[in-house]
C-alpha cells in the first residue's frame, strides 16, 4: 500500500513510523546494478513534461533535492537510466526508475506507463 504526501505527513506528526514488507529476493541489488544519469535539475525544470509531472504529484521545484544520480522527491527517489539500459519504467522500494525525460517525452507508450505508475502510487 502506498500513501500520498499528506498522509505521510499526518502519520509522521502522530509519531507513526512507516515500514515496508520486503520480498525474499533482493530487488535493490537489481536497481543499483544499472547505470544512472547525473541529474541537472536546472535543465529538467525547463522541460514541460517534467513540470507536468511535478504538478500532477503536487510538488514544486523547491521541494526536490538533487542528489547526484537521482532526485529526492520526499516519498520516493527518481533515477534516470542511460540509453544503454532497457527502456522501461520501474517502481521498486520507493524508487522510480525511468529513462531520461527527453526519451519519455518522445514516446507515448513511456508517458502512459509513467502516468499509470504515478497514479497507482498516489492511491
Amino acid at each position: 500500500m502506498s500513501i500520498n504526501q499528506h498522509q505521510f505527513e499526518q502519520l509522521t506528526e502522530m509519531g507513526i513510523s512507516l515500514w515496508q514488507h520486503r520480498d525474499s529476493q533482493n530487488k535493490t541489488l537489481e536497481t543499483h546494478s544499472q547505470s544512472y544519469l547525473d541529474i541537472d535539475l536546472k535543465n529538467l525544470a525547463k522541460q514541460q513534461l517534467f513540470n507536468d509531472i511535478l504538478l500532477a504529484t503536487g510538488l514544486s521545484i523547491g521541494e526536490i533535492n538533487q542528489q547526484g544520480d537521482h532526485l529526492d522527491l520526499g516519498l520516493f527517489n527518481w533515477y534516470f537510466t542511460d540509453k544503454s539500459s532497457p527502456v522501461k519504467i520501474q517502481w521498486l522500494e520507493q524508487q522510480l526508475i525511468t529513462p531520461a525525460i527527453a526519451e519519455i517525452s518522445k514516446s507515448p507508450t513511456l508517458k502512459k506507463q509513467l502516468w499509470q505508475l504515478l497514479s497507482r502510487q498516489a492511491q
Side-chain angles (χ1 to χ4, degrees), residues 35-46:
S35 54
Y36 299 115
L37 299 174
D38 286 332
I39 307 297
D40 185 357
L41 192 53
K42 289 180 183 179
N43 284 338
L44 280 175
K46 295 175 187 175

Side-chain angles (χ1 to χ4, degrees), residues 5-6 9 41 50 53-67 71-77:
Q5 180 69 34
H6 179 70
E9 290 170 358
L41 192 53
F50 182 73
I53 293 166
L54 290 182
L55 184 63
T57 57
L59 295 169
S60 70
I61 196 77
E63 296 174 282
I64 298 172
N65 294 313
Q66 183 176 342
Q67 302 290 326
L71 297 175
D72 180 352
L73 284 83
L75 292 176
F76 66 94
N77 294 323

Side-chain angles (χ1 to χ4, degrees), residues 1 10 18 27-28 30 33 36 46 65 73 100 109 114:
M1 178 175 121
Q10 285 182 323
L18 301 178
K27 292 182 179 178
T28 306
E30 293 175 21
S33 66
Y36 299 115
K46 295 175 187 175
N65 294 313
L73 284 83
T109 304
L114 180 59

Side-chain angles (χ1 to χ4, degrees), residues 22-123:
R22 299 196 187 262
D23 293 339
S24 59
Q25 298 173 339
N26 192 351
K27 292 182 179 178
T28 306
L29 291 177
E30 293 175 21
T31 63
H32 291 295
S33 66
Q34 297 179 5
S35 54
Y36 299 115
L37 299 174
D38 286 332
I39 307 297
D40 185 357
L41 192 53
K42 289 180 183 179
N43 284 338
L44 280 175
K46 295 175 187 175
Q47 298 188 32
Q48 186 62 45
L49 179 61
F50 182 73
N51 288 309
D52 290 344
I53 293 166
L54 290 182
L55 184 63
T57 57
L59 295 169
S60 70
I61 196 77
E63 296 174 282
I64 298 172
N65 294 313
Q66 183 176 342
Q67 302 290 326
D69 68 347
H70 71 277
L71 297 175
D72 180 352
L73 284 83
L75 292 176
F76 66 94
N77 294 323
W78 190 352
Y79 293 84
F80 297 97
T81 59
D82 64 11
K83 291 182 182 180
S84 65
S85 299
V87 178
K88 63 180 182 176
I89 295 175
Q90 302 175 43
W91 182 274
L92 301 169
E93 298 180 5
Q94 300 308 107
Q95 296 178 352
L96 175 62
I97 303 164
T98 69
I101 289 290
E103 296 299 313
I104 296 171
S105 64
K106 294 177 196 174
S107 169
T109 304
L110 288 175
K111 285 182 199 176
K112 182 179 178 181
Q113 284 178 10
L114 180 59
W115 288 119
Q116 288 175 339
L117 190 138
L118 289 173
S119 65
R120 269 186 278 149
Q121 298 306 318
Q123 294 176 353

